[in-house]
Amino acid sequence: MRRGPVVPALGAVAAAGAASLGYATLIERNAFALRTSTLEVLAPGSPSIRVLHLSDLHMLPRQQLKQAWVRELDALEPDLVVNTGDNLAHPRAVPAVVQALGGLLDRPGAFVFGSNDYFGPVAKNPLKYFDRNHERVPGPSLPWQDLRAAFVERGWIDATHRKQEITAGGNTISVAGVDDPHLQRDRYDTIEGKADPAADLRLALSHSPEPRVLDHFASDGYDLAMCGHTHGGQLCLPVYGALVTNCGIDRSRVKGPSQWGEHMKLHVSAGLGTSPYAPARFFCRPEATLLTLVPARVDRAATEDGEAVSRSGAGVR
């Protein structure tokens, strides 16, 4: 009996699927990348500053390859380290995170936490990611207090629901942040009000880039918001990009820099990890980002009252 063309075609599809799954789980999720980007956000005349953005490590104690790669980032000698949460994926992962960060903890730093600092991962139907309103079931509690204590003891600033000041790279940086909006833990009223106009940089931190929070930050005059959470989509398609963002932002902003409102930049990290229950990345390598912040360009054409106006706010969301 002759086989029709359907049987070989199905076999080819199955083989391609198996190869893609193997690549996504065994190769790409461990193909850590350092991204670089330059953002014009500083006050005119300020010295440039290099900021290392880390997010979504989702660390397990056994992930020695990831730990070694993160440890090497200290050689970049960033002026400031920003960590936007989801560091943990296991109750005993705190020592692994602290040891991986190594010398970075001795540099100026600021952080906020995400849902997977507070609660462990749980197995769930991946199709739920396509439903923004699906019920979220928290996993077992994680030792976030121990992680916070380690960060603070080494000198990093907890920006959760606080306005604080950091000096880094010769710049005065006003930092404010919220707890994870993905868990509805954000309380923007605790930090609301105009950001410090005298600062060289007004920096806003949130784990999840939820539009309601970003709108508040933009309205209060922050220059740059930094977030994580999205994993860059984690499973992406060529040309099309991310299938989902797992939050309220659109797919075009799922990772990297973008404009939010007239004057605020947004940077979303695709992160360095995955849930242990979904250990795959496809067309979305795990990443850390080294941002070079430079002064915003100024249009020398005078306004009606004779003041120069910034050109860096061109474009709106």
Side-chain angles (χ1 to χ4, degrees):
M1 173 181 277
R2 295 179 59 189
R3 294 187 302 172
V6 174
V7 174
L10 290 176
V13 170
S20 297
L21 181 62
Y23 168 78
T25 56
L26 300 176
I27 298 176
E28 185 164 331
R29 76 179 178 94
N30 291 314
F32 307 110
L34 178 68
R35 308 295 185 188
T36 60
S37 186
T38 299
L39 299 179
E40 298 177 359
V41 294
L42 298 180
S46 302
S48 63
I49 179 175
R50 301 201 309 161
V51 180
L52 180 64
H53 187 185
L54 301 174
S55 197
D56 298 86
L57 274 70
H58 293 281
M59 191 71 76
L60 295 170
R62 66 174 183 269
Q63 292 176 322
Q64 296 182 5
L65 182 64
K66 185 195 301 183
Q67 293 161 28
W69 191 87
V70 172
R71 194 174 300 116
E72 292 177 357
L73 294 174
D74 185 49
L76 298 171
E77 299 184 346
D79 300 301
L80 176 69
V81 183
V82 170
N83 182 311
T84 48
D86 272 12
N87 295 276
L88 305 176
H90 191 278
R92 294 192 296 276
V94 170
V97 171
V98 173
Q99 292 168 16
L101 292 173
L104 292 172
L105 288 168
D106 295 323
R107 301 184 183 277
F111 67 93
V112 290
F113 281 157
S115 58
N116 285 128
D117 293 303
Y118 300 118
F119 303 106
V122 294
K124 58 184 174 182
N125 184 346
L127 294 178
K128 287 186 176 182
Y129 285 108
F130 292 91
D131 178 11
R132 291 183 179 179
N133 299 315
H134 71 270
E135 182 180 358
R136 296 177 175 86
V137 179
S141 295
L142 293 176
W144 64 270
Q145 299 98 327
D146 295 340
L147 186 64
R148 180 187 182 278
F151 284 178
V152 172
E153 182 179 345
R154 296 285 291 273
W156 280 12
I157 287 176
D158 184 354
T160 306
H161 297 152
R162 298 177 181 177
K163 287 184 175 181
Q164 300 192 68
E165 187 176 285
I166 300 177
T167 300
N171 288 282
T172 300
I173 303 170
S174 178
V175 183
V178 294
D179 209 346
D180 189 5
H182 191 62
L183 293 182
Q184 308 292 323
R185 294 173 69 108
D186 53 302
R187 301 291 181 268
Y188 194 85
D189 60 294
T190 61
I191 56 169
E192 67 182 344
K194 292 297 181 182
D196 184 0
D200 299 308
L201 173 67
R202 291 160 285 274
L203 178 62
L205 305 183
S206 173
H207 175 64
S208 179
E210 298 296 345
R212 69 175 188 278
V213 174
L214 297 176
D215 285 344
H216 280 309
F217 282 132
S219 178
D220 278 341
Y222 287 88
D223 304 303
L224 172 62
M226 299 177 70
C227 307
H229 176 72
T230 66
H231 294 192
Q234 190 166 325
L235 301 178
C236 301
L237 297 178
V239 181
Y240 184 81
L243 300 176
V244 294
T245 67
N246 195 27
C247 62
I249 62 170
D250 53 278
R251 291 188 306 105
S252 68
R253 304 170 196 274
V254 73
K255 64 178 178 180
S258 62
Q259 189 77 30
W260 193 275
E262 293 187 14
H263 304 291
M264 189 175 79
K265 301 287 187 184
L266 169 66
H267 185 265
V268 178
S269 171
L272 281 163
T274 68
S275 166
Y277 294 104
R281 281 181 177 257
F282 195 68
F283 279 87
C284 186
R285 289 174 65 180
E287 68 178 40
T289 309
L290 186 64
L291 299 173
T292 300
L293 308 185
V294 299
R297 289 175 294 174
V298 174
D299 189 342
R300 295 303 179 186
T303 62
E304 290 183 358
D305 61 3
E307 295 181 356
V309 294
S310 171
R311 297 175 55 192
S312 64
V316 295
R317 74 178 179 89

